[in-house]
Amino acid sequence: MSNSSSPSAAGTGGCTTSVVAEHTVTGSHVLRIECFSQTKGLGERKCIKSDPFSVGGHTWVVRYYPDGDRTDSCIETDWISVDVWLAEPASRDEEVRAGINFSILNEQGKPVQAFKKFCSDKTQVFPPLGRSSESWLWGYEKFIKRKPGLERSSYLKGDCLRIKCDVTVVEFGVRKEGAKRRRITVPPSDLHQDLGRLLSSQRGGDVVFKVGDEFFPAHRSVLAARSSVFNAEFFGPMNEKTDGHIRIEDMEANVFKVLLDFMYTDSLPAMDEGEEIVMAQHLLVAEDRYDLKRLKLICEDKLCNHINIETVATTMALAEQHGSQGLRESCFEFLSTPGNLKKIKATDGYQHLKASCPSFLEELVDKFAT
């Protein structure tokens, strides 16, 4: 008679396998230097640091040396240096492996191939804490030469230089043999497209707005979810009893249409530059009326990017009327340049500025006086 028993681990031969797999996490940071020409003369080996940013659970900082970070006196002068510093690793007892790329961006935010530098190896090793601090840095002493490569290029428009640093953190882990990492591509959310189609189809609408001679059907629940003002108007204790028609005064029909589209899609349509500025001005007023904070920030950003002699007076008046501190500071910075202030004094906009924002001008005068 034979005895049968299950094999034990100690008595079993054979081969087992562990699989080491690579996992990467990539992030980027852009250091925008808006006063490039003024940074020259800071001093050799002196740097300007970016804000800290996180990639792979580690904190990194980009450092920009306008007069170079030359450790070798034989290296020719007039080079800009850059490096990335591992400011705070996720673990102070383990090394960090990362691929580092630096590039100059053009006005469209795209890397310029002529000014792009890749790390020589696939990854750089940042050792555990306790080693030399120089081991926690990686970059280029000779990143780009000021003349003639950069200062004569078209990528320095408006005295603004944009340096992008791409960091790819590489980690290794063990998984079971035969186990496959399932890769499922999740598309970006298209909720805004569905809601946009709902608005344009006019199906299920339970409220109609009349703006001028045009009518705009909409859905109370969507508007109430987006605006505290509409929520109180439709569902609050003081909600208006209407027959489903609401008349909008003091707003143009094309502005209300864009406002309504934004409330459904959370985005603004493409417009040419002149139309975009005018629309942003109108929408900033509309936002204040309906409490749409994200729309306010979008409008402020667009107006900040188009401050000039022709627009600064109107923009400043809007900032004062609607409590836009960021927009106000941008106007103040623009007019703090003596040349700009002198130019606007010769325009009709200056009279408008004196009448609508006298306290702002007093603040400017005080600044120059000190």
Side-chain angles (χ1 to χ4, degrees), residues 99-316:
I100 312 293
N101 298 331
F102 283 100
S103 55
I104 299 291
L105 302 184
N106 60 20
E107 286 185 86
Q108 290 72 43
K110 304 295 184 183
V112 180
Q113 291 300 320
F115 298 145
K116 192 168 184 178
K117 297 286 183 73
F118 298 93
C119 59
S120 55
D121 301 317
K122 184 177 181 182
T123 59
Q124 301 299 318
V125 178
F126 298 83
L129 186 67
R131 304 282 186 89
S132 168
S133 60
E134 293 297 322
S135 301
W136 288 51
L137 305 173
W138 193 89
Y140 291 95
E141 288 184 349
K142 298 173 69 174
F143 175 54
I144 187 170
K145 201 167 186 179
R146 282 181 175 271
K147 297 177 181 178
L150 182 61
E151 292 186 349
R152 298 180 185 176
S153 74
S154 61
Y155 307 115
L156 198 59
K157 190 171 182 179
D159 202 30
C160 179
L161 176 66
R162 303 169 186 84
I163 300 175
K164 183 182 181 185
C165 177
D166 299 301
V167 179
T168 300
V169 176
V170 181
E171 299 173 348
F172 298 101
V174 178
R175 60 177 170 84
K176 294 181 180 178
E177 170 68 7
K180 295 182 179 179
R181 187 192 302 175
R182 188 182 298 273
R183 294 187 179 275
I184 299 176
T185 301
V186 180
S189 172
D190 59 356
L191 176 62
H192 62 290
Q193 296 177 358
D194 292 335
L195 290 176
R197 284 190 287 268
L198 175 66
L199 176 63
S200 60
S201 71
Q202 302 185 5
R203 291 195 300 268
D206 55 2
V207 64
V208 176
F209 295 93
K210 184 178 182 183
V211 188
D213 296 327
E214 296 188 40
F215 294 88
F216 299 91
H219 306 79
R220 293 172 185 261
S221 295
V222 175
L223 301 182
R226 297 284 282 157
S227 164
S228 61
V229 175
F230 277 127
N231 184 55
E233 184 175 340
F234 294 147
F235 303 112
M238 302 298 291
N239 64 84
E240 294 184 4
K241 305 299 182 182
T242 68
D243 59 357
H245 286 69
I246 298 178
R247 184 171 185 84
I248 302 295
E249 305 287 353
D250 303 323
M251 189 180 301
E252 296 178 6
N254 65 324
V255 176
F256 185 79
K257 182 180 185 305
V258 173
L259 176 72
L260 202 58
D261 286 342
F262 176 83
M263 296 182 74
Y264 278 75
T265 66
D266 208 35
S267 62
L268 297 177
M271 292 173 271
D272 60 43
E273 183 175 311
E275 184 183 8
E276 184 179 66
I277 296 171
V278 174
M279 183 58 69
Q281 292 171 345
H282 286 297
L283 289 176
L284 191 64
V285 178
E287 175 284 324
D288 204 19
R289 184 170 175 176
Y290 294 110
D291 189 27
L292 301 170
K293 293 181 175 58
R294 186 169 184 274
L295 178 60
K296 180 178 183 179
L297 294 175
I298 292 174
C299 293
E300 288 177 347
D301 181 60
K302 291 184 182 297
L303 293 174
C304 280
N305 289 330
H306 294 96
I307 294 176
N308 53 47
I309 298 300
E310 289 73 29
T311 64
V312 66
T314 301
T315 302
M316 187 61 236

